[in-house]
Amino acid sequence: MVFKVSKVSTTPFEGQKPGTSGLRKKVKVFVQPHYLQNFVQSTFNALSSEKVRGATLVVSGDGRYYSKDAIQIIIKMSAANGVRRVWVGQNGLLSTPAVSAVIRERVGADGSKATGAFILTASHNPGGPHEDFGIKYNMGNGGPAPEAITDKIFENTKTITEYLIADDLPNVDISATGISSFEGPEGQFDVDVFDSASDYVKLMKSIFDFELIRKLLSSPKFTFCYDALHGVAGAYANRIFVEELGAQESSLLNCVPKEDFGGGHPDPNLTYAKELVARMGLGNSNSEVEPPEFGAAADGDADRNMILGKRFFVTPSDSVAIIAANAVDAIPYFFSGLKGVARSMPTSAALDVVAKHLNLKFFEVPTGWKFFGNLMDAGMCSICGEESFGTGSDHIREKDGIWAVLAWLSILAYKNKDNLKGNKLVTVEDIVRQHWANYGRHYYTRYDYENVDAGAAKDLMAYLVKLQSSLDEINTIVKGARSDVSNVVNADEFEYKDPVDGSISKHQGIRFLFQDGSRLVFRLSGTGSEGATIRLYVEQYEKDSSKTGRDSQEALAPLVEVALKLSKMQEFTGRSAPTVIT
């Protein structure tokens, strides 16, 4: 029996503009008739039919609510658009980094290689019938579609009149691995359901010294805890940490993937990873139980990470700097040296100082992983990171939460390799404090004002841009707020010229740079599904090693006060406090 291709008439939906990480909306928006279909067809049209015909596409995601329905729709539309085969992770589960790895590494039974992927995720946003869903397209290099493609997709969504679908193709059982073959008007069409973890685990074993990490994890002095927040990282945690590295199963928290992430917010930070934070001794209650030596968490699609020591939080900005400073010694993949390092503009300058010390190429890029991808494809960058709990390397073209955890375990294992029989291990806190002593400390905090009225948010940003034309006026406000804060020497709107393709990204955030190396940054974020989020980043650099042990919020209080005065935050937004402080 040959499946039939139907042309279905449709009309455009407003607002199908993919942000830096695809299209994210509430589930109730996505389930409207034709909504998902319009976006998928607009993507196929943007890629052009010669690229789609005969293609091999990966279709999977973080397992959030509506994923299973969406996968069947995309399979049927792929068949109708002449795609040759679709690869699906078992149960529709593949972490975002694993999708990137599968595109780059996996070879099908018939020798095929993937040409791209639809990833079904809204990352760290909550899931469930009343929460968020998302979809993004990744290219043949394993990285997110570049702006030229996402702009084309958006243009197509505004004019779409029909989409193609093979309605009579039966639903494919994605709970069992194996290949299902169908006959279409253009020949064979296959759906290959494969094990979600194998390709990714194989890649990790080629990067890290699992034997060295296993020795650390088997030491009675080293205790460990990993929290997947009921996201897709749970599909990898058992395989990697328990089966491969010999950790106790009891060290895994919330590692069963759930469509609604167990009702929680799958965002690995001190606010949302409550259970892990308490277990690591960072909560408000002083429990009698001694916290583990090392703890980590992942977000919904497992591309983000949070690293904790016993009663100790590692900021993402410090984390990427510390990984870069230790990578060549501790991680086999980097034994021959680093090609360069990069960070997103709002991330603290801790990485810059490491790059300078180690004489490495250094890049400061706009927020969005694709900017790192360009540098990596050109062989210019090995390790990169962003303050929003994303860290990664050139092994794939997405940030990678489990990679970051294995990098930290590698550094701990390396520092303790002759020490496992001794009476005290080198701890996470020891490593961070030693780093501050060597390189100085960047006190750092981020204030998020979520779901602010979009008009008010735009007005605040416009006011800051206008203010930037006069440094005198800025410094009058600064000194009026706090006489102990140094002068602003440079104020601008960040723009980036890509050294690889020459493209220019404008309006990437508003910066105030101070004489002593401190910074204030204001950005509007595009990852929420409604309202605007204003992010304020505050950073104070301290070189004097006698002053690197202060409480972070206390050290930053003067700069925070200046930031709120400068921006008239309360006047514009009506908010007297942020939604989240990181």
Side-chain angles (χ1 to χ4, degrees):
M1 122 120 191
V2 177
F3 63 77
K4 287 201 297 295
V5 174
S6 317
K7 280 186 179 172
V8 180
S9 297
T10 187
T11 51
F13 288 90
E14 250 179 58
Q16 287 195 325
K17 184 178 174 61
T20 46
S21 336
L23 180 68
R24 293 182 189 168
K25 302 281 181 193
K26 292 286 176 209
V27 167
K28 62 175 188 283
V29 174
F30 266 102
V31 299
Q32 299 173 88
H34 312 310
Y35 189 89
L36 173 68
Q37 291 87 336
N38 277 19
F39 186 79
V40 171
Q41 189 64 53
S42 296
T43 303
F44 283 144
N45 296 348
L47 294 168
S48 82
S49 64
E50 55 265 24
K51 288 240 166 62
V52 176
R53 281 184 194 295
T56 298
L57 293 182
V58 184
V59 182
S60 285
D62 61 16
R64 65 180 55 236
Y65 182 84
Y66 190 56
S67 298
K68 289 192 165 133
D69 297 343
I71 288 169
Q72 300 295 345
I73 290 169
I74 298 169
I75 288 173
K76 290 173 180 162
M77 290 188 67
S78 299
N81 278 278
V83 169
R84 172 66 184 80
R85 49 186 88 68
V86 170
W87 290 353
V88 181
Q90 191 173 7
N91 295 311
L93 296 177
L94 279 177
S95 71
T96 295
V99 171
S100 191
V102 163
I103 293 173
R104 296 172 66 84
E105 307 285 336
R106 183 173 195 259
V107 180
D110 55 3
S112 52
K113 293 277 289 171
T115 43
F118 282 103
I119 308 182
L120 307 176
T121 176
S123 191
H124 50 286
N125 295 6
H130 305 293
E131 298 297 347
D132 294 3
F133 186 75
I135 178 169
K136 70 171 187 164
Y137 189 81
N138 277 30
M139 308 298 284
N141 71 341
E147 232 148 274
I149 300 279
T150 54
D151 288 349
K152 211 182 262 181
I153 294 171
F154 181 46
E155 287 314 307
N156 290 345
T157 65
K158 297 193 236 174
T159 55
I160 188 164
T161 57
E162 62 178 26
Y163 61 84
L164 303 179
I165 189 161
D167 263 329
D168 60 351
L169 194 74
N171 279 356
V172 175
D173 177 7
I174 58 172
S175 68
T177 58
I179 297 176
S180 313
S181 295
F182 305 95
E183 275 306 315
E186 296 184 32
Q188 196 176 332
F189 170 70
D190 294 336
V191 179
D192 179 356
V193 180
F194 63 100
D195 179 79
S196 304
S198 303
D199 300 281
Y200 181 77
V201 173
K202 190 170 141 201
L203 181 60
M204 291 302 109
K205 289 174 83 167
S206 73
I207 295 171
F208 299 103
D209 182 345
F210 270 42
E211 200 42 57
L212 191 67
I213 301 172
R214 193 181 294 119
K215 282 189 184 130
L216 173 73
L217 286 179
S218 64
S219 158
K221 285 193 285 298
F222 186 80
T223 40
F224 158 88
C225 181
Y226 184 77
D227 187 347
L229 293 172
H230 289 302
V232 73
Y236 302 85
N238 205 58
R239 278 283 284 278
I240 291 175
F241 299 123
V242 178
E243 288 177 31
E244 293 288 345
L245 295 171
Q248 300 296 318
E249 231 172 295
S250 57
S251 53
L252 303 184
L253 265 182
N254 305 315
C255 279
V256 177
K258 293 188 174 173
E259 289 195 332
D260 66 347
F261 307 112
H265 198 129
D267 196 352
N269 59 37
L270 295 172
T271 306
Y272 294 123
K274 291 188 186 61
E275 210 175 322
L276 176 71
V277 166
R279 195 185 277 205
M280 295 306 296
L282 283 162
N284 304 333
S285 61
N286 287 335
S287 79
E288 299 302 300
V289 187
E290 188 63 5
E293 285 299 322
F294 178 84
D299 68 334
D301 64 333
D303 62 350
R304 294 185 177 199
N305 73 92
M306 175 170 69
I307 303 293
L308 302 172
K310 179 186 293 189
R311 302 188 188 92
F312 192 83
F313 168 63
V314 184
T315 72
S317 298
D318 278 345
S319 178
V320 67
I322 290 165
I323 292 173
N326 292 283
V328 173
D329 289 334
I331 301 169
Y333 181 84
F334 299 115
F335 282 175
S336 57
L338 300 179
K339 298 164 188 162
V341 294
R343 65 166 172 86
S344 66
M345 184 275 283
T347 303
S348 95
L351 185 63
D352 315 32
V353 183
V354 172
K356 208 173 182 166
H357 269 251
L358 300 181
N359 203 7
L360 295 169
K361 275 195 204 130
F362 167 80
F363 304 92
E364 179 180 30
V365 307
T367 300
W369 209 257
K370 55 178 178 259
F371 297 104
F372 295 132
N374 265 3
L375 295 169
M376 290 172 175
D377 283 345
M380 294 156 77
C381 174
S382 295
I383 290 175
C384 57
E386 50 187 25
E387 48 68 42
S388 51
F389 298 88
T391 328
S393 94
D394 61 350
H395 67 291
I396 54 170
R397 295 296 177 268
E398 288 278 7
K399 49 193 171 232
D400 190 343
I402 289 177
W403 174 89
V405 173
L406 291 170
W408 267 93
L409 288 173
S410 298
I411 293 166
L412 283 160
Y414 174 77
K415 301 262 187 204
N416 285 298
K417 69 174 189 292
D418 304 321
N419 194 21
L420 292 174
K421 304 271 188 291
N423 36 4
K424 187 178 178 317
L425 294 180
V426 176
T427 66
V428 171
E429 184 172 349
D430 294 337
I431 289 169
V432 176
R433 291 197 186 279
Q434 187 55 55
H435 186 89
W436 292 339
N438 295 345
Y439 297 100
R441 178 176 180 187
H442 293 79
Y443 287 102
Y444 186 87
T445 189
R446 181 177 111 187
Y447 280 31
D448 289 3
Y449 296 84
E450 292 177 357
N451 290 330
V452 172
D453 175 79
K458 284 203 177 97
D459 292 346
L460 179 144
M461 298 298 273
Y463 166 75
L464 284 173
V465 171
K466 208 164 116 213
L467 186 63
Q468 288 193 329
S469 56
S470 163
L471 280 181
D472 290 345
E473 193 183 334
I474 290 169
N475 283 315
T476 307
I477 298 172
V478 170
K479 292 299 181 208
R482 291 294 294 230
S483 57
D484 55 350
V485 168
S486 87
N487 274 339
V488 173
V489 289
N490 191 9
D492 66 1
E493 243 192 306
F494 179 58
E495 74 172 50
Y496 175 70
K497 183 172 188 212
D498 194 306
V500 181
D501 62 18
S503 63
I504 292 173
S505 307
K506 298 184 175 185
H507 310 299
Q508 293 297 317
I510 294 168
R511 300 191 289 185
F512 297 89
L513 310 172
F514 294 76
Q515 204 153 7
D516 62 357
S518 299
R519 296 192 312 161
L520 292 177
V521 174
F522 295 84
R523 278 186 67 242
L524 278 184
S525 164
T527 53
S529 69
E530 47 193 333
T533 294
I534 299 171
R535 300 199 199 281
L536 158 63
Y537 308 84
V538 184
E539 173 181 354
Q540 174 90 42
Y541 183 50
E542 182 56 74
K543 275 208 289 278
D544 179 345
S545 61
S546 70
K547 293 183 182 165
T548 56
R550 296 173 65 194
D551 171 72
S552 172
Q553 293 300 332
E554 181 193 321
L556 291 163
L559 265 180
V560 168
E561 204 174 313
V562 165
L564 299 181
K565 279 262 167 50
L566 258 179
S567 62
K568 299 187 174 173
M569 184 66 77
Q570 187 160 2
E571 239 168 276
F572 278 108
T573 65
R575 304 283 179 88
S576 58
T579 323
V580 180
I581 296 179
T582 301

